[in-house]
Amino acid sequence: MTAHRSADASTHQDDAAPGSASDGNTEYGRKSFKRSRSHFADRITADGRDGWPVEAGRYRLVVSRACPWASRALVSRRLLGLEDALSLAVTDPIQDDRSWRFTLDPDGRDPVLGIRYLSEAYDARETGYPGGVSVPAVVDVPSGKLVTNDFQQITLDLATEWTALHRPGAPDLYPEPLRGEIDEVMDGVYRDVNNGVYRAGFATGQKEYEEAYEDVFRRLEVLSWRLSDRRYLVGDTITEADIRLFTTLVRFDAVYHGHFKCNRYKLAEDPVLWAYMRDLYQTPGFGDTVDFDHIKRHYYQVHTGINPTQVVPRGPDLAGWLTPHHREQLGGRPFGDGTPPGPVPPGEEVPPAGRP
């Protein structure tokens, strides 16, 4: 999720927002949507081939709980038990004109990196970097430099390159025999669902909007059919594909249905997808990372081009997320031969305002 540092800081429009002090907020819904490529695509690997070896305690993961792309990393980190190895910084869901900021922390400064804005880590890596400041971001703690903002690759590397630091019983989220099928499923989910809701929400014309809208719901119908007789998207365990679909669909009724005009039906009106999502939400590592308060306040208060009043809706009622789903009847083993993650570490719990 990219936040521009000024209205003209980037030549494209991405899926996050400039801050409330920037005129860029009002561009959403007035400028055609285009997702940016990750500018900083170094990888943190077991062999350190890009100069960034996997090392416990060296790196800090910076996220916004409002952002679906950052939320992928939150879920992966929990499932794999990397909390002690990879520390976590959570930004304010509302930016100002310098983008993602650490105003949730004492004195408005990240206690580990010592910075007030994520942009400072970007500037430490590349002086005068003109682009948007995105989450998730991984920062090298000793140097204070951004390592990567490659949201597509970060979680794959957590699953495959950080294995020496995984908890005992960690699941294999990207099993090698299934990678071809996982990649194929994720490609359609990315194009039509993850990205599709933004293309609909930020459309500047009727035709553009309707094409994106049709893509979203055509793909949801395919996924609903696929999940009608299987518990998970690929194989009989949770994989990266489920994580990537979850982080968009958990926001669907709260944000995308109304705010982004993806309103053919609510997620709760599709029996298969709604049960699938409740199953994942109630699985340790998924729902315990979701903050509905951050999600709603970010979208409705930051995208002033779409919602100029900045009024945040009270609904939907979140109680349904905790109701029985009965998906266990389809079989499947959530963690394969592994085990669920332990309790959420102290200080990382989602506040009551963000939970059902």
Side-chain angles (χ1 to χ4, degrees), residues 113 115 117-126 139 144-146:
L113 299 174
I115 58 179
Y117 294 90
L118 178 56
S119 60
E120 295 174 57
Y122 276 69
D123 291 337
R125 171 68 184 272
E126 182 177 311
V139 179
K145 295 179 179 180
L146 175 77

Side-chain angles (χ1 to χ4, degrees), residues 232-255:
Y232 303 110
L233 282 171
V234 181
D236 67 348
T237 65
I238 291 165
T239 67
E240 176 80 11
D242 298 293
I243 295 172
R244 295 190 180 193
L245 181 57
F246 174 83
T247 57
T248 292
L249 292 193
V250 78
R251 290 160 170 77
F252 199 87
D253 288 3
V255 175

Side-chain angles (χ1 to χ4, degrees), residues 22-66:
S22 167
D23 292 339
N25 283 9
T26 61
E27 294 181 8
Y28 289 99
R30 301 180 185 177
K31 183 177 179 183
S32 293
F33 171 77
K34 180 182 178 182
R35 183 161 313 285
S36 64
R37 297 178 62 183
S38 299
H39 182 75
F40 300 99
D42 285 4
R43 294 175 59 190
I44 300 170
T45 57
D47 62 7
R49 56 187 176 271
D50 284 355
W52 307 106
V54 171
E55 183 180 330
R58 175 170 175 177
Y59 306 100
R60 190 154 174 83
L61 174 65
V62 181
V63 303
S64 164
R65 291 192 186 273

Side-chain angles (χ1 to χ4, degrees), residues 6-319:
S6 66
D8 59 354
S10 178
T11 58
H12 64 269
Q13 179 166 320
D14 208 335
D15 63 322
S20 56
S22 167
D23 292 339
N25 283 9
T26 61
E27 294 181 8
Y28 289 99
R30 301 180 185 177
K31 183 177 179 183
S32 293
F33 171 77
K34 180 182 178 182
R35 183 161 313 285
S36 64
R37 297 178 62 183
S38 299
H39 182 75
F40 300 99
D42 285 4
R43 294 175 59 190
I44 300 170
T45 57
D47 62 7
R49 56 187 176 271
D50 284 355
W52 307 106
V54 171
E55 183 180 330
R58 175 170 175 177
Y59 306 100
R60 190 154 174 83
L61 174 65
V62 181
V63 303
S64 164
R65 291 192 186 273
C67 171
W69 317 97
S71 293
R72 296 176 178 184
L74 278 171
V75 174
S76 296
R77 176 176 172 271
R78 279 278 292 132
L79 294 176
L80 299 172
L82 289 170
E83 293 99 326
D84 290 338
L86 178 62
S87 66
L88 180 67
V90 178
T91 66
D92 193 312
I94 310 299
Q95 306 100 328
D96 68 13
D97 61 336
R98 289 188 60 183
S99 81
W100 299 108
R101 53 188 182 161
F102 297 105
T103 45
L104 302 181
D105 294 303
D107 301 320
R109 193 181 292 275
D110 180 79
V112 173
L113 299 174
I115 58 179
R116 295 185 181 278
Y117 294 90
L118 178 56
S119 60
E120 295 174 57
Y122 276 69
D123 291 337
R125 171 68 184 272
E126 182 177 311
T127 303
Y129 165 65
V133 177
S134 66
V135 289
V138 181
V139 179
D140 178 50
V141 174
S143 68
K145 295 179 179 180
L146 175 77
V147 176
T148 177
N149 66 350
D150 190 346
F151 66 94
Q152 296 281 56
Q153 190 63 45
I154 286 173
T155 49
L156 295 179
D157 284 343
L158 291 181
T160 61
E161 297 289 338
W162 289 64
T163 53
L165 299 177
H166 288 181
R167 65 178 175 86
D172 186 352
L173 298 175
Y174 196 45
E176 195 161 358
L178 298 177
R179 287 180 187 177
E181 186 177 359
I182 291 171
D183 290 346
E184 181 180 2
V185 170
M186 292 194 305
D187 180 67
V189 167
Y190 172 79
R191 183 178 59 252
D192 297 334
V193 181
N194 301 148
N195 224 30
V197 293
Y198 284 94
R199 290 192 292 113
F202 293 144
T204 58
Q206 192 68 32
K207 184 174 184 292
E208 179 187 0
Y209 158 70
E210 290 185 4
E211 288 176 351
Y213 173 98
E214 293 299 331
D215 287 344
V216 169
F217 285 97
R218 182 175 60 251
R219 183 63 57 179
L220 290 183
E221 288 169 3
V222 169
L223 293 167
S224 182
W225 175 84
R226 183 182 184 91
L227 290 163
S228 62
D229 61 357
R230 65 174 79 189
R231 192 170 179 186
Y232 303 110
L233 282 171
V234 181
D236 67 348
T237 65
I238 291 165
T239 67
E240 176 80 11
D242 298 293
I243 295 172
R244 295 190 180 193
L245 181 57
F246 174 83
T247 57
T248 292
L249 292 193
V250 78
R251 290 160 170 77
F252 199 87
D253 288 3
V255 175
Y256 304 141
H257 178 272
H259 185 60
F260 278 179
K261 306 180 186 69
C262 294
N263 60 354
R264 178 176 294 173
Y265 51 78
K266 294 178 181 178
L267 180 71
E269 294 168 354
D270 183 303
V272 172
L273 292 178
W274 180 224
Y276 165 77
M277 285 297 294
R278 297 194 325 271
D279 186 6
L280 290 180
Y281 185 88
Q282 294 169 31
T283 299
F286 283 87
D288 53 30
T289 70
V290 176
D291 190 325
F292 285 105
D293 174 60
H294 278 207
I295 290 167
K296 292 199 301 182
R297 287 197 291 121
H298 171 78
Y299 283 91
Y300 287 102
Q301 292 187 318
V302 172
H303 298 165
T304 57
I306 300 175
N307 186 41
T309 66
Q310 298 182 295
V311 172
V312 179
R314 289 288 300 273
D317 185 354
L318 301 178

